Amino acid sequence: MNRLVAFFSDIRNLALSLVMASGGILAFAYISQYFFNLQPCILCLYQRKPYFAVIVFGLLSAGMARIC
């Protein structure tokens, strides 16, 4: 447990983990939509926007953590 806390104490590791999780969720949604022909409802389409925001802000924070 201490190793996990130590890993996520670094801002860069936390940001990149959030980027990977959000990217995986979006990848699953798009694969379901385009390869398995599951059409999403309008609410499902709106729910994708926060995941894109997490990816953008996560990459920005990981880049800024490296600079500082």
Side-chain angles (χ1 to χ4, degrees):
M1 184 70 174
N2 290 335
R3 291 177 65 192
L4 185 64
V5 171
F7 179 77
F8 286 126
S9 294
D10 184 17
I11 298 297
R12 189 165 182 254
N13 289 339
L14 179 63
L16 291 177
S17 297
L18 289 172
V19 167
M20 288 182 4
S22 294
I25 291 168
L26 284 175
F28 181 76
Y30 281 115
I31 288 170
S32 297
Q33 180 178 350
Y34 291 114
F35 292 119
F36 297 118
N37 203 20
L38 296 173
Q39 297 304 316
C41 64
I42 192 71
L43 182 61
C44 295
L45 293 174
Y46 288 144
Q47 288 175 343
R48 293 179 187 180
K49 290 178 181 28
Y51 289 113
F52 283 117
V54 168
I55 290 172
V56 169
F57 289 125
L59 289 174
L60 285 174
S61 65
M64 293 299 289
R66 188 170 196 170
I67 292 171
C68 296

